[in-house]
Amino acid sequence: MAGSILIIEDETTIAQLERDYFELNGFHVDLCHHGDEGLQLALETDYHLIIVDLQLPGLNGFELCSRIRQAKEVPILIVSAKNEEIDKIRAFNLGADDYITKPFSPSELVARAKAHLTRYERLMSRHEVPHKTEIHIRGLVIDQAARRVYVRNKEVIFTSREFSLLEFLASHPNRVFSKSELFERIWGMDSNGDIATVTVHVRRLREKMEVDPSNPQYIETVWGAGYRFTV
């Protein structure tokens, strides 16, 4: 698995360490130490994955993540010394796919990056396979071929990861999945990753689908167990 990676990190030693490990694994790596330059590179170049620090000169990592996600579905990994839960939740809300705190294991970073790339490539290849499957559930239509969703006859826009989570849950109605199971199946990694992103994505699905997100009719929380798509 080779590909191109952009690392936006202002600490030179860390950036070079990350680059060395990825290059040893066959990746092409570009380094950038400034937020504004990083955004320009991210938008002008088709990278397979982008790694972003939060504390950067110019645009900070939160702003970068938001701006990149508005334009592209490329996997974004946050690597930061900020380890507060509120920072992780904010990053996930802005479109980050993973969050790794410093100090970190370079080998783990590479492993997580590979997992995200594998998942992303699988999603894209499945998207290219023509089929006519649609899921119809109480005013909800999920067009699996076009990766489009209609709620009460109105199209609602979902990110690639949101769509994958919704499609998976709707394809297994009335079955309870734990956050760890969903993280492994949708993000392609085991539960050692930060599963807070599952909660964030479920909340975003509800905000886009439900008449009353605080009283969900589609994705139900099963306290102490996980989530269930109710039909």
Side-chain angles (χ1 to χ4, degrees):
M1 175 192 298
S4 59
I5 293 176
L6 172 62
I7 297 174
I8 310 173
E9 166 66 67
D10 66 330
E11 295 187 51
T12 303
T13 301
I14 292 177
Q16 292 177 343
L17 177 66
E18 293 173 350
R19 180 192 61 193
D20 291 346
Y21 268 79
F22 278 110
E23 288 183 343
L24 283 172
N25 282 270
F27 292 93
H28 169 79
V29 180
D30 288 337
L31 295 182
C32 183
H33 307 295
H34 194 281
D36 297 281
E37 296 172 2
L39 178 63
Q40 183 176 355
L41 278 172
L43 297 182
E44 292 180 352
T45 309
D46 289 328
Y47 291 102
H48 294 90
L49 182 137
I50 299 175
I51 297 174
V52 179
D53 183 27
L54 291 182
Q55 297 172 302
L56 294 165
L59 287 175
N60 64 42
F62 292 121
E63 295 169 321
L64 265 175
C65 186
S66 177
R67 298 275 291 275
I68 294 170
R69 181 57 71 232
Q70 290 173 22
K72 296 189 173 185
E73 290 292 344
V74 57
I76 301 173
L77 275 65
I78 301 294
V79 178
S80 175
K82 296 168 71 69
N83 62 0
E84 296 294 327
E85 184 177 3
I86 188 63
D87 295 314
K88 297 179 181 181
I89 292 174
R90 183 182 178 191
F92 290 137
N93 269 324
L94 293 173
D97 294 284
D98 203 353
Y99 194 112
I100 303 173
T101 55
K102 301 176 183 177
F104 60 91
S105 161
S107 297
E108 180 186 357
L109 176 63
V110 173
R112 289 206 194 184
K114 287 182 175 180
H116 283 291
L117 286 168
T118 298
R119 178 65 183 171
Y120 182 73
E121 290 172 0
R122 189 181 303 131
L123 287 173
M124 292 302 100
S125 63
R126 191 172 70 182
H127 174 54
E128 294 170 358
V129 176
H131 59 86
K132 298 181 179 180
T133 304
E134 291 185 351
I135 299 173
H136 294 255
I137 301 174
R138 291 184 286 110
L140 173 69
V141 178
I142 303 173
D143 186 337
Q144 295 172 286
R147 294 182 69 80
R148 304 176 78 169
V149 179
Y150 301 87
V151 181
R152 294 174 289 278
N153 297 317
K154 181 179 179 180
E155 183 173 7
V156 178
I157 304 303
F158 292 86
T159 67
S160 177
R161 196 77 67 179
E162 290 168 355
F163 180 91
S164 297
L165 178 58
L166 173 61
E167 179 188 28
F168 177 78
L169 287 170
S171 298
H172 301 81
N174 298 322
R175 177 177 170 184
V176 178
F177 291 94
S178 69
K179 294 177 184 178
S180 296
E181 287 178 304
L182 292 173
F183 190 79
E184 181 176 356
R185 290 173 181 265
I186 305 304
W187 279 261
M189 294 175 288
D190 62 34
S191 58
N192 290 327
D194 196 320
I195 62 174
T197 187
V198 176
T199 303
V200 171
H201 278 70
V202 168
R203 185 174 72 241
R204 291 210 301 249
L205 289 179
R206 287 171 172 166
E207 289 171 349
K208 293 181 179 183
M209 294 167 49
E210 302 283 358
V211 174
D212 179 7
S214 63
N215 184 29
Q217 302 301 305
Y218 291 109
I219 302 176
E220 177 186 1
T221 298
V222 181
W223 297 108
Y227 298 105
R228 172 173 57 208
F229 195 98
T230 304
V231 298

